[in-house]
Amino acid sequence: MNVGEARVRGLLEGTKQYVVPLFQRPYCWGNKEWRSLWEDIVSLYSTEDDYTHFIGAVVTVPIPTLPAGVTKYLLIDGQQRLVTIMILLSVLRDSDSTDRQVLKQEIQENYLTNRFFEDEDYLRVLPTQGDREPFAAIIRQQPHDPHSSLTLAYRFFLARVKEKVLDLDEEFDFRKLFSLIVGRINTVQIVLDQQDNPQLIFESLNGKGTPLTDADLIRNFVFMRIDKADQQLSYHNDWFPMEQRLVQRRGRRQYYSVLTPFMRHLVMQRGVMVRKEDTYVKFQQYLERPGASPAKDELVEIAKSSELYLRLIKPETEPNPELRQRFQSVLDLEVTTCHPLALRLYHLHRDERLSLESFLRCIDSIESFMVRRVFGSRSTRPLGRIFVTVCRDLVEDDLPQSILRLLDGAGWPEDVEFENGFLNAPIYYLDQKKTKFVLIRLEGTLGGPRPDTLHGLETEHIFPQLPSPAWHEHLGHQGVAEAMPAIHRIGNLTLSEVNAAMSNRWFTEKKTFLAMSDLRLNKHFEDCESWGYQEITERGMALFKVARKIWPKQLGG
């Protein structure tokens, strides 16, 4: 390993190229990082002192090349900083000026390109695969992809340079700005030898860049264990499709990756509890476990597992309608801590070691376990560890009976406890989303519309949370006092799309609205003349008979 201080000039001058590995994350700096770098550069520009600015480490490994060719280095760490400097130099090259042709040529030929070479060798820096085309367009002064992060960086620095030109009374000195960028911005250049471990360096260094995610570390850990000759094929066939597959949309323009949660659950489905902050360390142990296949082959299987995981977190991608409905129920219950166990079961089903019927029965048992615990006021905090323990102790040759025994030992409420909670628990107060889930499932079982058509409805309290004088008039103060503790019980709740219209009206007025509903849940009210504690209890009992069939404590019961 050779370590030394280097200015940008020393990094970029000469016939050389820094190649960002295909498995590195794409360019991800944004306004925060751009603004910080620009403010530091402006500070250098404004002072007469010969200060320097340190931007972090650049870690490289030499790539064997022909003697007459471009000297190439694999860029292990520092791509965000180096690519940003290249973008900034491109902005200086392109900024309007009538007397800077010499500077433009110097930047283009001595820092941005290898002018006597063609194709990819023409570029001094070669970003990771997804960024190469927009980066090359900027360097070659061609039209830019307007949606690329690199184009956004270019526009940011171009706007800042124009602002600086307009703000100064005297003419802005482009040569001075260029000189301080290449001559007063410092890095620590670390050139690794073949015997050095690039992964250890990558983990320990992050400079002033965007913090590395566990997915970033895992990606590099995997590819450092794949032969260089196989890396590009593994990236294109396995890693990149998996990475794209697990990008989810949040809002109109925001996206986030569930790659790290997937890796965490992948390890947990083997019966190993993994805290979020330990994902990378536990994955390392997973990949190097006794009997593990070579990293290239492991990646193939991991990518296949990601297809199954996508169906768990995005049920609409599941082709089997019965599984799709079960996976959606898990999401609606908001208890995704069972995903490691569900993933384990899905692997067995995929490998034809678990029939579809048995797979469905296992998922039904998991749902029953969770719903019964909700009405038993059991804490959700231990669920993660419970499901990992089930993964650990699962007897694969005795499924799904093994699931039943393990869940029973983990606190699966019996019918007596379930009935008591179902009739008396203030479920709406405890968890409004799970309350709505239960009502929708009850409606579906009673023969109502498909559950996916009911999510726009609201939960309605028949006996209102704030009774109007009419309730006191019809039930008396004693009747109202008796009913108040039962307000949030399941027997007093239904689904409706006219909550605001019903408000706290007296029961017979609400019946008029409920009679217009096609929901089977609301047919019960047709024969009721009043609504108080007794009626709430009776309806709760009627609904429990349905609930016990939906969420039994025997497989397929």
Side-chain angles (χ1 to χ4, degrees), residues 31 58-59 76 80 101 138 174 188 206 270 297 357 465 475:
N31 275 282
V58 174
V59 184
I76 302 300
Q80 306 291 331
Q101 189 58 39
I138 292 173
F174 283 90
V188 170
N206 196 31
R270 295 183 63 85
D297 298 330
E357 181 185 1
Q465 299 183 68
L475 296 183

Side-chain angles (χ1 to χ4, degrees), residues 293-310:
S293 302
K296 175 186 173 183
D297 298 330
E298 286 287 339
L299 179 55
V300 171
E301 290 304 312
I302 291 171
K304 290 179 180 177
S305 294
S306 73
E307 296 179 19
L308 306 184
Y309 188 75
L310 178 66

